[in-house]
Amino acid sequence: MIKRPLGFLCLAMVAMLYLFARKNPAPRLEYDLSQGKSFTVVGKVYRKEAVIQRDYPVSVLYLKNVQDGDTAHGDTKIICYLKAGQPEPELGSCIKVKGKLKTFERASNPGQFDACSYYQISGISYRLNQAEILAKTTEYNHLAQSLYLLRSFLAEQLESNLPEKEAAVMCAILLGEKGSMDKELKNLYQQNGIAHILAISGLHVSLLGMGFYQFLRKCGVPMKAAAVCSALGMALYGMMVGFSVSAVRAILMFAILMLAIVCERTYDMLTAAAVAAAFVLLEQPLYFYHSGFIFSFGCVAGIGILLPALTEGIPQYREKGKRWESQLVKGLVGSVGMAVITLPMNLWFYYQFPVYSILLNMMVIPLMSLLMLAGLILIAIQLLNPMAAVPLVFLIRGILRLYEFAMQLCNYLPGRLFIAGQPKEWQIMIYILLMIAIVVLGKRMKLLCRWGIVAVAMLLLCI
């Protein structure tokens, strides 16, 4: 459990922000009557990306501090899809743009994705299609623009070495750039429950951040200086790939870990998660309704609190010569435990659970470190000696082809999706209470009894 006073304070703040979010739902902004009409607005570019629409690349701008004529809309944000041939403005610049207003679709059926609510939580009110830039300022954010150019350069290096499909996946994994991914391939990852590897999260930040920290230490950099440099490096990385909810959580927790090293204090994962959650929710309390927030922080809480209680007492091979059996047991137990943690979240947001994700994650996650390392070395070697990058290209293609083959195989297996519908709130609460009982009474209960309670909780969740 959380062991620090700061963690309890942040947890209390999170609880108060949750109550605030419950009483203040996302406002319904009515732009339907203006849909299709030409709008001219002024705003500041805070993010931009390239996406594929109808097999053509389209530049997308995200604007904040939007003004419509003489009317300022406070924290309103919009998305602009630029016309072909329009020059991209720099990040941080203010632009005047004209386009056709398009509202986001609301869910008309249970289980349908509610784009309107999703974007309203992020403060985005509408989008402009066929947008045309009328004017822009010469001042912009030089650091953000430089990082964007670096991201584009790194993406070009991957695209020049790898086939189109593999390059798109590696751009998503390393750079958070999913706009060029084929929709069918993206859906394949989502339907099989391993789309989390495509989003910048704790897995990516821990591999890159700790890898960079260990590299600096081996180069002789003092421990505290290495920690500070690693924290700053991950902050710049987050700025480059875009601060999604999962990325912000992971980077804040990593920064707290590095701060613990600098201050020579013990790091507590749950305290760090509580602090990160408080920071995220202070910026926008409505993130309580955001699937990315629920999954990111829910998994951390489950790993830190529930997983140890579920796995305590499970025999593991320690004898010499049985190391692979030990790793197999550890991987299977961890994957099943994560399925228990994510089941209510999957059913709440998607009404279904990918059954074979338990086995897929046992293969995917151990190979991720090798895949990311190969991608980083590939970029570095490409700049020095392109011919030396060939073995890495084969390695990356092999791992990604293995992923795709395993997912397609699972699609042919019976019962790949467990469809139970969205549970009621009381079912979620009972599930959580039973998990709390396992945590509190775990050491007094036998292993079989603990997993019996899990089975009962899962049954009650799905009836």
Side-chain angles (χ1 to χ4, degrees):
M1 301 295 287
I2 295 177
K3 302 176 183 178
R4 311 280 182 182
L6 178 61
F8 283 111
L9 177 63
C10 291
L11 198 60
M13 186 182 298
V14 168
M16 288 188 292
L17 290 170
Y18 170 72
L19 295 176
F20 174 83
R22 291 280 292 187
K23 292 187 176 182
N24 297 273
R28 286 290 185 182
L29 302 176
E30 298 297 337
Y31 290 98
D32 294 330
L33 296 177
S34 302
Q35 184 160 225
K37 294 182 179 180
S38 181
F39 259 52
T40 301
V41 299
V42 175
K44 187 175 183 179
V45 182
Y46 71 93
R47 178 185 169 191
K48 57 183 181 178
E49 62 184 5
V51 300
I52 302 297
Q53 285 191 341
R54 298 175 183 176
D55 298 327
Y56 291 99
V58 177
S59 296
V60 183
L61 305 179
Y62 292 74
L63 305 185
K64 62 181 180 179
N65 303 331
V66 174
Q67 293 184 0
D68 173 15
D70 295 329
T71 304
H73 295 282
D75 295 330
T76 296
K77 301 173 184 177
I78 66 171
I79 303 177
C80 299
Y81 290 79
L82 296 182
K83 278 184 179 180
Q86 285 285 301
E88 283 190 0
E90 292 81 7
L91 283 169
S93 62
C94 292
I95 65 171
K96 185 177 183 180
V97 62
K98 179 181 180 180
K100 294 183 178 180
L101 186 144
K102 176 73 173 178
T103 58
F104 298 108
E105 293 184 4
R106 294 185 172 93
S108 56
N109 297 306
Q112 182 181 352
F113 175 63
D114 192 334
C116 184
S117 297
Y118 178 85
Y119 283 106
Q120 282 181 350
I121 290 172
S122 301
I124 298 174
S125 303
Y126 58 89
R127 68 183 185 184
L128 294 180
N129 291 336
Q130 295 294 307
E132 183 179 357
I133 297 175
L134 304 179
K136 70 171 185 174
T137 61
T138 56
E139 295 181 356
Y140 59 92
N141 188 323
H142 291 270
L143 176 59
Q145 180 63 18
S146 298
L147 290 172
Y148 175 79
L149 294 176
L150 174 61
R151 179 187 184 185
S152 301
F153 173 76
L154 296 177
E156 289 174 2
Q157 298 306 307
L158 291 170
E159 291 166 357
S160 64
N161 283 276
L162 296 168
E164 182 178 356
K165 183 189 293 186
E166 285 79 4
V169 176
M170 290 305 296
C171 284
I173 291 174
L174 291 175
L175 305 174
E177 179 58 72
K178 292 184 282 190
S180 59
M181 272 193 72
D182 179 72
K183 286 186 178 180
E184 292 185 3
L185 183 61
K186 191 185 297 185
N187 289 335
L188 188 64
Y189 277 85
Q190 291 172 344
Q191 292 169 1
N192 285 277
I194 60 171
H196 58 88
I197 69 171
L198 303 177
I200 304 300
S201 61
L203 177 63
H204 302 71
V205 172
S206 61
L207 289 173
L208 293 174
M210 289 307 299
F212 185 49
Y213 173 77
Q214 295 295 340
F215 172 77
L216 292 177
R217 293 291 292 132
K218 289 183 179 180
C219 291
V221 178
M223 182 175 62
K224 294 184 179 181
V228 172
C229 291
S230 299
L232 291 175
M234 286 299 99
L236 293 175
Y237 176 72
M239 187 181 296
M240 181 180 73
V241 301
F243 282 116
S244 64
V245 174
S246 59
V248 170
R249 190 270 305 164
I251 291 170
L252 283 174
M253 291 182 67
F254 180 78
I256 293 172
L257 170 61
M258 295 297 103
L259 180 63
I261 293 175
V262 171
C263 298
E264 298 181 0
R265 301 292 295 273
T266 303
Y267 172 76
D268 180 64
M269 183 183 72
L270 295 175
T271 299
V275 173
F279 269 99
V280 172
L281 293 172
L282 279 173
E283 192 271 333
Q284 174 55 282
L286 296 176
Y287 271 126
F288 265 118
Y289 300 105
H290 194 283
S291 59
F293 177 90
I294 299 297
F295 270 96
S296 185
F297 285 94
C299 287
V300 171
I303 291 171
I305 301 174
L306 181 59
L307 194 59
L310 291 176
T311 58
E312 186 178 0
I314 293 179
Q316 295 186 17
Y317 294 98
R318 301 287 184 184
E319 298 88 349
K320 187 177 181 181
K322 292 188 176 181
R323 187 170 298 175
W324 70 271
E325 291 99 327
S326 177
Q327 292 299 320
L328 183 63
V329 170
K330 183 179 178 181
L332 180 59
V333 169
S335 191
V336 173
M338 287 305 301
V340 174
I341 293 167
T342 59
L343 177 64
M345 294 181 277
N346 273 288
L347 294 183
W348 180 262
F349 288 105
Y350 307 120
Y351 297 12
Q352 61 188 22
F353 181 81
V355 176
Y356 298 116
S357 64
I358 297 173
L359 299 177
L360 284 173
N361 278 299
M362 289 179 61
M363 176 196 70
V364 167
I365 294 177
L367 290 174
M368 271 297 292
S369 57
L370 178 61
L371 183 63
M372 293 181 66
L373 181 62
L376 294 173
I377 297 176
L378 172 64
I379 294 172
I381 290 180
Q382 165 65 18
L383 300 175
L384 302 174
N385 185 0
M387 292 302 296
V390 174
L392 292 169
V393 171
F394 281 106
L395 176 61
I396 292 171
R397 292 184 64 184
I399 294 175
L400 293 179
R401 292 287 176 87
L402 178 62
Y403 285 179
E404 190 173 349
F405 171 78
M407 290 186 290
Q408 289 175 344
L409 177 63
C410 289
N411 283 347
Y412 286 105
L413 295 176
R416 70 180 183 88
L417 283 178
F418 173 67
I419 302 174
Q422 187 182 52
K424 301 289 191 285
E425 289 189 5
W426 66 266
Q427 291 175 295
I428 298 287
M429 291 304 300
I430 290 177
Y431 190 91
I432 293 174
L433 288 174
L434 288 174
M435 295 303 109
I436 292 175
I438 292 175
V439 172
V440 174
L441 304 174
K443 291 183 179 180
R444 305 175 194 173
M445 299 165 58
K446 293 184 178 181
L447 180 64
L448 187 60
C449 183
R450 271 177 273 153
W451 281 94
I453 294 176
V454 169
V456 171
M458 295 172 70
L459 181 63
L460 291 174
L461 190 68
C462 301
I463 58 174

